[in-house]
Amino acid sequence: MINELVWRQLKSQLDAKGVTLVAVSKTKPVADIQALYNLGQRDFGENYVQELVEKQAQLPNDIRWHFIGHLQSNKVKQIAPFVQMIHAVDSFKLLTEINKQAVKNGRTIDVLLQMHIADEETKFGMSVTEMFDFMDYYRAQKDDLKQVEIRGLMGMASFTNDESKVEQEFLQLYNRFLVMQRTDFIGKNTFDICSMGMSADYAIAIHCGSTMVRIGSALFGTR
Ligand SMILES: *Cc1c(COP(=O)(O)O)cnc(C)c1O
């Protein structure tokens, strides 16, 4: 079951602010995705490769699929033929593999670099130091990475009721995004996405500058 009213309110609120809504449909049936699609939703997020591949085959071709989970290099080839954006790139090895598979499929794949902003050890993503190392590798090998487009940053805040802490983490991510954008780290002006905010914290994320939110349970119900 989808929550149509929530979708309508969220969609108009986000459209007015120029924020992209990615509807996170992981574990939810194809019928729910189709129902939201019929209302006009086009960006959907999944975080398991097998599940995404199975769903994609059954749904309209103009859906923009976002892979938002942790991705192993050896699984990139399964989603490379159709995926729009991979949100959680946290190693240069993964970036290289995405480019390789994009070339094989004659496409360009958009990616976001995942930053570690939360306290929790369990959350994936790069530290600031790792990010600088990553960018050094990237700049040195940029000419061989033409079919992967680094579009911005992605991050997940700590799982806590402490809103000021969540806000602080989102601001930290957004500031890194701005610095990278202003200093033209990528060397192209295509660095324009800061993906942050989920059902519980999207309002804070938007307040902090988010340009893309990833919302699941508020739209599809609890998992
Ligand atoms: C599941 C998931 C979401 C959506 O979470 P909700 O709390 O259901 O909105 C967003 N981002 C990532 C990376 C996720 O895995």
Side-chain angles (χ1 to χ4, degrees), residues 161-212:
N161 289 325
D162 183 349
E163 293 194 357
S164 70
K165 183 173 171 55
V166 171
E167 181 181 38
Q168 204 183 312
E169 291 171 355
F170 282 151
L171 283 176
Q172 191 190 331
L173 180 65
Y174 188 66
N175 283 332
R176 265 180 228 163
F177 167 71
L178 283 186
V179 168
M180 288 181 72
Q181 197 174 44
R182 287 202 193 114
T183 53
D184 197 14
F185 254 59
I186 307 299
K188 305 182 205 175
N189 53 8
T190 49
F191 194 83
D192 58 359
I193 298 174
C194 184
S195 167
M196 58 187 194
M198 323 199 328
S199 294
D201 56 20
Y202 71 86
I204 304 172
I206 292 167
H207 168 75
C208 294
S210 174
T211 69
M212 182 176 270

Short mmCIF file of all heavy atoms in Angstrom, two decimals, residues 161-212:
data_model
loop_
_atom_site.label_atom_id
_atom_site.label_comp_id
_atom_site.label_asym_id
_atom_site.label_seq_id
_atom_site.Cartn_x
_atom_site.Cartn_y
_atom_site.Cartn_z
N ASN A 161 17.46 10.72 18.05
CA ASN A 161 16.40 11.72 18.18
C ASN A 161 16.96 13.12 18.38
O ASN A 161 16.21 14.09 18.43
CB ASN A 161 15.50 11.37 19.39
CG ASN A 161 14.64 10.16 19.10
OD1 ASN A 161 14.21 9.96 17.96
ND2 ASN A 161 14.40 9.35 20.12
N ASP A 162 18.26 13.20 18.52
CA ASP A 162 18.92 14.48 18.75
C ASP A 162 19.00 15.27 17.44
O ASP A 162 19.92 15.09 16.64
CB ASP A 162 20.31 14.22 19.32
CG ASP A 162 21.05 15.51 19.67
OD1 ASP A 162 20.57 16.60 19.28
OD2 ASP A 162 22.10 15.41 20.31
N GLU A 163 18.02 16.14 17.23
CA GLU A 163 17.94 16.85 15.95
C GLU A 163 19.11 17.78 15.68
O GLU A 163 19.51 17.96 14.53
CB GLU A 163 16.62 17.65 15.87
CG GLU A 163 15.41 16.73 15.82
CD GLU A 163 14.14 17.45 15.41
OE1 GLU A 163 14.18 18.69 15.22
OE2 GLU A 163 13.10 16.77 15.31
N SER A 164 19.68 18.33 16.73
CA SER A 164 20.80 19.24 16.50
C SER A 164 22.04 18.48 16.02
O SER A 164 22.85 18.98 15.24
CB SER A 164 21.10 20.07 17.75
OG SER A 164 21.66 19.27 18.74
N LYS A 165 22.14 17.24 16.48
CA LYS A 165 23.25 16.40 16.01
C LYS A 165 23.09 16.04 14.53
O LYS A 165 24.03 16.12 13.75
CB LYS A 165 23.31 15.12 16.87
CG LYS A 165 24.46 14.22 16.51
CD LYS A 165 24.55 13.07 17.51
CE LYS A 165 25.54 12.03 17.05
NZ LYS A 165 26.87 12.64 16.78
N VAL A 166 21.86 15.66 14.18
CA VAL A 166 21.55 15.33 12.78
C VAL A 166 21.82 16.55 11.90
O VAL A 166 22.45 16.46 10.85
CB VAL A 166 20.08 14.85 12.64
CG1 VAL A 166 19.68 14.72 11.18
CG2 VAL A 166 19.88 13.52 13.39
N GLU A 167 21.38 17.71 12.38
CA GLU A 167 21.57 18.95 11.63
C GLU A 167 23.06 19.25 11.43
O GLU A 167 23.50 19.60 10.33
CB GLU A 167 20.91 20.11 12.37
CG GLU A 167 21.04 21.43 11.65
CD GLU A 167 20.38 22.57 12.41
OE1 GLU A 167 20.46 22.59 13.66
OE2 GLU A 167 19.79 23.44 11.76
N GLN A 168 23.82 19.06 12.48
CA GLN A 168 25.27 19.30 12.42
C GLN A 168 25.93 18.39 11.37
O GLN A 168 26.79 18.82 10.62
CB GLN A 168 25.81 18.98 13.80
CG GLN A 168 27.09 19.63 14.20
CD GLN A 168 27.48 19.11 15.59
OE1 GLN A 168 26.67 19.07 16.52
NE2 GLN A 168 28.72 18.68 15.70
N GLU A 169 25.49 17.13 11.33
CA GLU A 169 26.08 16.17 10.38
C GLU A 169 25.70 16.53 8.94
O GLU A 169 26.52 16.48 8.03
CB GLU A 169 25.64 14.75 10.72
CG GLU A 169 26.27 14.27 12.03
CD GLU A 169 25.73 12.95 12.54
OE1 GLU A 169 24.78 12.38 11.94
OE2 GLU A 169 26.25 12.47 13.57
N PHE A 170 24.45 16.93 8.74
CA PHE A 170 24.01 17.32 7.39
C PHE A 170 24.74 18.60 6.94
O PHE A 170 25.12 18.72 5.77
CB PHE A 170 22.50 17.53 7.33
CG PHE A 170 21.70 16.24 7.26
CD1 PHE A 170 20.42 16.18 7.80
CD2 PHE A 170 22.21 15.11 6.64
CE1 PHE A 170 19.66 15.01 7.72
CE2 PHE A 170 21.46 13.93 6.56
CZ PHE A 170 20.19 13.89 7.10
N LEU A 171 24.91 19.54 7.86
CA LEU A 171 25.60 20.78 7.50
C LEU A 171 27.05 20.50 7.11
O LEU A 171 27.59 21.10 6.18
CB LEU A 171 25.55 21.78 8.66
CG LEU A 171 24.21 22.51 8.85
CD1 LEU A 171 24.26 23.40 10.09
CD2 LEU A 171 23.84 23.33 7.61
N GLN A 172 27.64 19.56 7.82
CA GLN A 172 29.02 19.16 7.53
C GLN A 172 29.10 18.60 6.11
O GLN A 172 30.00 18.95 5.33
CB GLN A 172 29.38 18.08 8.56
CG GLN A 172 30.82 17.69 8.63
CD GLN A 172 30.97 16.44 9.51
OE1 GLN A 172 30.17 16.23 10.45
NE2 GLN A 172 31.95 15.63 9.22
N LEU A 173 28.14 17.76 5.75
CA LEU A 173 28.12 17.18 4.40
C LEU A 173 27.88 18.27 3.35
O LEU A 173 28.57 18.32 2.34
CB LEU A 173 27.03 16.10 4.30
CG LEU A 173 26.89 15.41 2.94
CD1 LEU A 173 28.14 14.60 2.60
CD2 LEU A 173 25.67 14.49 2.91
N TYR A 174 26.93 19.13 3.64
CA TYR A 174 26.60 20.17 2.66
C TYR A 174 27.78 21.12 2.46
O TYR A 174 28.05 21.55 1.34
CB TYR A 174 25.35 20.95 3.09
CG TYR A 174 24.88 21.89 2.01
CD1 TYR A 174 24.39 21.40 0.81
CD2 TYR A 174 24.96 23.27 2.19
CE1 TYR A 174 23.98 22.26 -0.20
CE2 TYR A 174 24.55 24.14 1.17
CZ TYR A 174 24.07 23.62 -0.02
OH TYR A 174 23.67 24.47 -1.02
N ASN A 175 28.50 21.43 3.53
CA ASN A 175 29.66 22.31 3.39
C ASN A 175 30.75 21.66 2.55
O ASN A 175 31.37 22.32 1.73
CB ASN A 175 30.21 22.70 4.77
CG ASN A 175 29.33 23.76 5.41
OD1 ASN A 175 28.69 24.55 4.72
ND2 ASN A 175 29.27 23.77 6.73
N ARG A 176 30.96 20.35 2.74
CA ARG A 176 31.94 19.65 1.90
C ARG A 176 31.52 19.68 0.44
O ARG A 176 32.33 19.85 -0.46
CB ARG A 176 32.07 18.19 2.34
CG ARG A 176 33.20 18.00 3.31
CD ARG A 176 33.30 16.56 3.71
NE ARG A 176 33.42 16.49 5.15
CZ ARG A 176 33.20 15.41 5.86
NH1 ARG A 176 32.82 14.29 5.27
NH2 ARG A 176 33.35 15.43 7.16
N PHE A 177 30.22 19.51 0.24
CA PHE A 177 29.67 19.56 -1.12
C PHE A 177 29.95 20.93 -1.74
O PHE A 177 30.45 21.02 -2.87
CB PHE A 177 28.16 19.28 -1.04
CG PHE A 177 27.40 19.60 -2.29
CD1 PHE A 177 27.54 18.83 -3.43
CD2 PHE A 177 26.52 20.68 -2.33
CE1 PHE A 177 26.83 19.13 -4.59
CE2 PHE A 177 25.81 20.99 -3.47
CZ PHE A 177 25.98 20.22 -4.61
N LEU A 178 29.68 22.01 -1.00
CA LEU A 178 29.91 23.36 -1.52
C LEU A 178 31.37 23.62 -1.82
O LEU A 178 31.71 24.19 -2.85
CB LEU A 178 29.41 24.41 -0.52
CG LEU A 178 27.92 24.65 -0.43
CD1 LEU A 178 27.65 25.83 0.50
CD2 LEU A 178 27.31 24.90 -1.80
N VAL A 179 32.24 23.18 -0.92
CA VAL A 179 33.68 23.39 -1.12
C VAL A 179 34.13 22.68 -2.38
O VAL A 179 34.82 23.24 -3.23
CB VAL A 179 34.49 22.91 0.10
CG1 VAL A 179 35.98 22.87 -0.23
CG2 VAL A 179 34.24 23.83 1.29
N MET A 180 33.68 21.43 -2.55
CA MET A 180 34.09 20.67 -3.74
C MET A 180 33.53 21.30 -5.01
O MET A 180 34.17 21.31 -6.05
CB MET A 180 33.64 19.22 -3.63
CG MET A 180 34.46 18.46 -2.60
SD MET A 180 34.00 16.74 -2.45
CE MET A 180 34.63 16.05 -3.98
N GLN A 181 32.33 21.84 -4.90
CA GLN A 181 31.72 22.49 -6.05
C GLN A 181 32.47 23.77 -6.41
O GLN A 181 32.84 23.99 -7.56
CB GLN A 181 30.26 22.81 -5.72
CG GLN A 181 29.41 23.11 -6.92
CD GLN A 181 27.95 23.27 -6.54
OE1 GLN A 181 27.64 23.95 -5.55
NE2 GLN A 181 27.07 22.67 -7.29
N ARG A 182 32.75 24.58 -5.40
CA ARG A 182 33.42 25.87 -5.63
C ARG A 182 34.84 25.71 -6.12
O ARG A 182 35.30 26.47 -6.95
CB ARG A 182 33.42 26.71 -4.35
CG ARG A 182 32.06 27.25 -4.03
CD ARG A 182 32.17 28.47 -3.12
NE ARG A 182 30.85 28.78 -2.58
CZ ARG A 182 30.54 28.68 -1.30
NH1 ARG A 182 31.45 28.32 -0.41
NH2 ARG A 182 29.33 28.97 -0.89
N THR A 183 35.53 24.72 -5.59
CA THR A 183 36.93 24.55 -5.99
C THR A 183 37.04 23.71 -7.26
O THR A 183 38.12 23.41 -7.72
CB THR A 183 37.76 23.89 -4.88
OG1 THR A 183 37.11 22.68 -4.49
CG2 THR A 183 37.91 24.79 -3.69
N ASP A 184 35.89 23.31 -7.79
CA ASP A 184 35.85 22.55 -9.03
C ASP A 184 36.77 21.33 -8.98
O ASP A 184 37.60 21.11 -9.85
CB ASP A 184 36.22 23.47 -10.21
CG ASP A 184 35.81 22.87 -11.54
OD1 ASP A 184 35.03 21.91 -11.54
OD2 ASP A 184 36.27 23.37 -12.58
N PHE A 185 36.60 20.54 -7.95
CA PHE A 185 37.36 19.31 -7.74
C PHE A 185 37.28 18.37 -8.92
O PHE A 185 38.23 17.70 -9.27
CB PHE A 185 36.79 18.59 -6.51
CG PHE A 185 37.65 18.69 -5.31
CD1 PHE A 185 37.99 19.92 -4.79
CD2 PHE A 185 38.13 17.54 -4.69
CE1 PHE A 185 38.79 20.01 -3.66
CE2 PHE A 185 38.92 17.63 -3.57
CZ PHE A 185 39.25 18.87 -3.05
N ILE A 186 36.10 18.32 -9.50
CA ILE A 186 35.86 17.36 -10.56
C ILE A 186 36.39 17.87 -11.90
O ILE A 186 36.69 17.10 -12.80
CB ILE A 186 34.33 17.08 -10.68
CG1 ILE A 186 33.76 16.67 -9.32
CG2 ILE A 186 34.03 16.01 -11.71
CD1 ILE A 186 34.35 15.43 -8.72
N GLY A 187 36.46 19.19 -12.03
CA GLY A 187 36.95 19.77 -13.27
C GLY A 187 35.86 19.90 -14.32
O GLY A 187 36.12 20.07 -15.50
N LYS A 188 34.61 19.80 -13.90
CA LYS A 188 33.46 19.98 -14.79
C LYS A 188 32.36 20.58 -13.93
O LYS A 188 32.34 20.41 -12.73
CB LYS A 188 32.91 18.65 -15.31
CG LYS A 188 33.85 17.74 -15.98
CD LYS A 188 33.04 16.53 -16.44
CE LYS A 188 33.91 15.30 -16.60
NZ LYS A 188 33.14 14.13 -16.91
N ASN A 189 31.42 21.24 -14.58
CA ASN A 189 30.36 21.82 -13.75
C ASN A 189 29.14 20.92 -13.61
O ASN A 189 28.01 21.38 -13.60
CB ASN A 189 29.98 23.21 -14.26
CG ASN A 189 29.64 23.18 -15.73
OD1 ASN A 189 29.55 22.10 -16.31
ND2 ASN A 189 29.44 24.33 -16.31
N THR A 190 29.37 19.64 -13.50
CA THR A 190 28.26 18.71 -13.38
C THR A 190 28.07 18.24 -11.93
O THR A 190 27.30 17.35 -11.65
CB THR A 190 28.49 17.47 -14.25
OG1 THR A 190 29.81 16.99 -13.98
CG2 THR A 190 28.36 17.79 -15.73
N PHE A 191 28.83 18.84 -11.02
CA PHE A 191 28.78 18.44 -9.61
C PHE A 191 27.68 19.25 -8.93
O PHE A 191 27.90 20.37 -8.48
CB PHE A 191 30.15 18.74 -9.00
CG PHE A 191 30.41 18.10 -7.67
CD1 PHE A 191 30.84 16.78 -7.59
CD2 PHE A 191 30.25 18.83 -6.50
CE1 PHE A 191 31.11 16.20 -6.35
CE2 PHE A 191 30.51 18.25 -5.26
CZ PHE A 191 30.95 16.94 -5.20
N ASP A 192 26.47 18.71 -8.91
CA ASP A 192 25.32 19.52 -8.47
C ASP A 192 24.32 18.81 -7.56
O ASP A 192 23.23 19.30 -7.35
CB ASP A 192 24.60 20.07 -9.71
CG ASP A 192 24.12 18.97 -10.66
OD1 ASP A 192 24.37 17.78 -10.38
OD2 ASP A 192 23.50 19.30 -11.69
N ILE A 193 24.70 17.62 -7.03
CA ILE A 193 23.74 16.89 -6.20
C ILE A 193 24.29 16.61 -4.80
O ILE A 193 25.40 16.13 -4.65
CB ILE A 193 23.34 15.56 -6.88
CG1 ILE A 193 22.67 15.84 -8.24
CG2 ILE A 193 22.41 14.73 -5.99
CD1 ILE A 193 22.37 14.59 -9.05
N CYS A 194 23.47 16.94 -3.80
CA CYS A 194 23.81 16.58 -2.42
C CYS A 194 22.64 15.74 -1.91
O CYS A 194 21.57 16.26 -1.60
CB CYS A 194 24.02 17.84 -1.57
SG CYS A 194 24.55 17.48 0.10
N SER A 195 22.85 14.41 -1.90
CA SER A 195 21.78 13.47 -1.54
C SER A 195 21.80 13.19 -0.05
O SER A 195 22.68 12.50 0.46
CB SER A 195 21.97 12.17 -2.35
OG SER A 195 21.17 11.11 -1.85
N MET A 196 20.86 13.78 0.67
CA MET A 196 20.76 13.53 2.12
C MET A 196 19.32 13.72 2.57
O MET A 196 18.60 14.55 2.03
CB MET A 196 21.74 14.42 2.89
CG MET A 196 21.57 15.92 2.69
SD MET A 196 22.93 16.83 3.51
CE MET A 196 22.25 18.50 3.48
N GLY A 197 18.91 12.91 3.55
CA GLY A 197 17.56 12.98 4.08
C GLY A 197 16.74 11.75 3.76
O GLY A 197 16.67 11.33 2.61
N MET A 198 16.16 11.13 4.81
CA MET A 198 15.29 9.96 4.68
C MET A 198 13.97 10.29 5.39
O MET A 198 13.76 11.43 5.79
CB MET A 198 15.98 8.74 5.32
CG MET A 198 17.48 8.74 5.10
SD MET A 198 18.38 7.19 5.31
CE MET A 198 17.53 6.30 6.55
N SER A 199 13.09 9.29 5.54
CA SER A 199 11.76 9.59 6.11
C SER A 199 11.83 10.36 7.43
O SER A 199 11.08 11.31 7.64
CB SER A 199 10.98 8.29 6.33
OG SER A 199 10.68 7.69 5.10
N ALA A 200 12.74 9.94 8.30
CA ALA A 200 12.76 10.53 9.64
C ALA A 200 13.44 11.90 9.71
O ALA A 200 13.19 12.66 10.64
CB ALA A 200 13.46 9.56 10.61
N ASP A 201 14.30 12.19 8.73
CA ASP A 201 15.10 13.42 8.88
C ASP A 201 15.13 14.31 7.64
O ASP A 201 15.95 15.21 7.54
CB ASP A 201 16.53 13.06 9.34
CG ASP A 201 17.22 12.09 8.40
OD1 ASP A 201 16.81 11.97 7.24
OD2 ASP A 201 18.21 11.45 8.84
N TYR A 202 14.22 14.07 6.69
CA TYR A 202 14.31 14.85 5.44
C TYR A 202 14.08 16.35 5.64
O TYR A 202 14.65 17.17 4.93
CB TYR A 202 13.40 14.28 4.35
CG TYR A 202 11.92 14.48 4.56
CD1 TYR A 202 11.30 15.66 4.15
CD2 TYR A 202 11.15 13.50 5.17
CE1 TYR A 202 9.94 15.85 4.36
CE2 TYR A 202 9.80 13.68 5.39
CZ TYR A 202 9.20 14.87 4.99
OH TYR A 202 7.88 15.06 5.21
N ALA A 203 13.21 16.70 6.60
CA ALA A 203 12.95 18.13 6.81
C ALA A 203 14.23 18.84 7.24
O ALA A 203 14.54 19.94 6.74
CB ALA A 203 11.84 18.32 7.84
N ILE A 204 14.98 18.21 8.11
CA ILE A 204 16.26 18.79 8.56
C ILE A 204 17.23 18.85 7.38
O ILE A 204 17.92 19.85 7.17
CB ILE A 204 16.89 17.95 9.71
CG1 ILE A 204 15.90 17.80 10.87
CG2 ILE A 204 18.20 18.58 10.19
CD1 ILE A 204 16.36 16.83 11.96
N ALA A 205 17.26 17.77 6.59
CA ALA A 205 18.19 17.71 5.45
C ALA A 205 17.91 18.83 4.45
O ALA A 205 18.83 19.48 3.95
CB ALA A 205 18.10 16.34 4.77
N ILE A 206 16.64 19.08 4.17
CA ILE A 206 16.28 20.13 3.21
C ILE A 206 16.68 21.50 3.76
O ILE A 206 17.24 22.33 3.05
CB ILE A 206 14.77 20.07 2.88
CG1 ILE A 206 14.47 18.79 2.10
CG2 ILE A 206 14.33 21.31 2.09
CD1 ILE A 206 13.01 18.47 1.99
N HIS A 207 16.41 21.68 5.02
CA HIS A 207 16.81 22.92 5.71
C HIS A 207 18.33 23.14 5.60
O HIS A 207 18.81 24.26 5.54
CB HIS A 207 16.34 22.80 7.17
CG HIS A 207 16.88 23.81 8.09
ND1 HIS A 207 16.44 25.11 8.09
CD2 HIS A 207 17.85 23.73 9.05
CE1 HIS A 207 17.12 25.77 9.02
NE2 HIS A 207 17.97 24.96 9.60
N CYS A 208 19.08 22.04 5.56
CA CYS A 208 20.55 22.13 5.49
C CYS A 208 21.08 22.19 4.06
O CYS A 208 22.28 22.21 3.86
CB CYS A 208 21.19 20.95 6.22
SG CYS A 208 20.90 20.94 7.99
N GLY A 209 20.20 22.16 3.05
CA GLY A 209 20.67 22.32 1.68
C GLY A 209 20.53 21.12 0.76
O GLY A 209 20.95 21.18 -0.40
N SER A 210 19.95 20.04 1.24
CA SER A 210 19.79 18.84 0.40
C SER A 210 19.17 19.16 -0.96
O SER A 210 18.26 19.98 -1.06
CB SER A 210 18.89 17.83 1.13
OG SER A 210 18.61 16.74 0.29
N THR A 211 19.66 18.49 -1.99
CA THR A 211 19.05 18.65 -3.32
C THR A 211 18.35 17.38 -3.76
O THR A 211 17.73 17.33 -4.83
CB THR A 211 20.08 19.02 -4.40
OG1 THR A 211 20.93 17.90 -4.63
CG2 THR A 211 20.93 20.22 -3.98
N MET A 212 18.49 16.30 -2.94
CA MET A 212 17.88 15.01 -3.29
C MET A 212 17.62 14.24 -2.00
O MET A 212 18.53 14.04 -1.21
CB MET A 212 18.84 14.23 -4.19
CG MET A 212 18.32 12.89 -4.68
SD MET A 212 19.49 12.11 -5.84
CE MET A 212 18.92 12.76 -7.41
#
